[in-house]
Amino acid sequence: MNWLAPNRFVTFCKGMTMPTVAGIFGEAGRLPRAFGEADGWVWVMQDAYAGPSSRASGGQAAWELARSITGRRGHIHYAERASDPDRVETVFLASTPTCTCPHGQNYMVPHCAEHPFQFLYSRGGFEQTLFNLGGRRESRRSGGMADLLVRELLDAGIIGRDTPRYDSESGFNADGAHTVRIITEHFGLPSPPLESPALELGPRQI
């Protein structure tokens, strides 16, 4: 995908400070590769295959952490670290390949930790909207607000019965870049790390 380097996870969070978000990810063994703050959002970027990757390893998968910090789930209430716990929300994006596990298209069964859903919007400790990107995958959505972005996706010809751009434009939205633009505009996400160079952290800075 040309909107993010391959095999990266980025979590945007609103309602928490940068030190709080970075601290939570550090406690989970997911030290950020880069971070930033703009337009009311803070964000952390990670290498997809660094840190705990499954429940079996004793840690949360990256997408699970992005969801968990928005509410009260399990024994750790991350959202209580926010000044306004009821207003914490996250947008998680992954540039890993779509899951090819046997259950990879079954939204009632979690994907494997190495290939999470490529887009996940969470609030209140639950997934509100989640789906994969590009190649018409946006038609298969799940979450408590599964249709949150439907109007924008329909207007762009990415989903729906009438999608002539897939036939007239070779490779239309194959990498999901058009979808990421819609997500970015809908949530008002800052451009870094999606377009501008990110602040890279050296070993001594983490």
Side-chain angles (χ1 to χ4, degrees), residues 46-98:
Q46 305 160 274
D47 291 324
Y49 305 112
S53 62
S54 70
R55 295 181 183 87
S57 69
Q60 294 188 81
W63 71 268
E64 291 177 305
L65 187 57
R67 175 199 64 194
S68 296
I69 65 177
T70 67
R72 301 172 177 86
R73 291 181 63 125
H75 65 284
I76 301 177
H77 297 168
Y78 292 113
E80 291 182 351
R81 304 187 191 185
S83 57
D84 191 346
D86 295 327
R87 300 189 65 180
V88 179
E89 57 185 318
T90 60
V91 173
F92 172 83
L93 292 169
S95 61
T96 45
T98 54

Side-chain angles (χ1 to χ4, degrees), residues 124-190:
F126 293 92
E127 306 96 325
Q128 301 298 322
T129 310
L130 64 155
F131 51 78
N132 285 320
L133 307 174
R136 304 176 189 260
R137 297 183 184 93
E138 297 85 354
S139 295
R140 306 192 66 164
R141 304 174 303 280
S142 188
M145 301 171 63
D147 291 339
L148 178 64
L149 298 171
V150 163
R151 176 45 54 193
E152 292 99 321
L153 294 172
L154 284 169
D155 290 345
I158 291 172
I159 63 171
R161 295 181 179 179
D162 185 19
T163 54
R165 295 185 68 179
Y166 285 104
D167 297 323
S168 62
E169 300 178 29
S170 178
F172 170 67
N173 202 37
D175 62 358
H178 287 286
T179 305
V180 172
R181 188 174 301 112
I182 288 172
I183 292 169
T184 299
E185 292 175 357
H186 179 91
F187 293 102
L189 301 178

Side-chain angles (χ1 to χ4, degrees), residues 3-20:
W3 49 269
L4 187 65
N7 298 320
R8 300 279 174 83
F9 296 151
V10 59
T11 299
F12 295 88
C13 180
K14 181 176 284 187
M16 286 184 173
T17 65
M18 183 75 255
T20 298

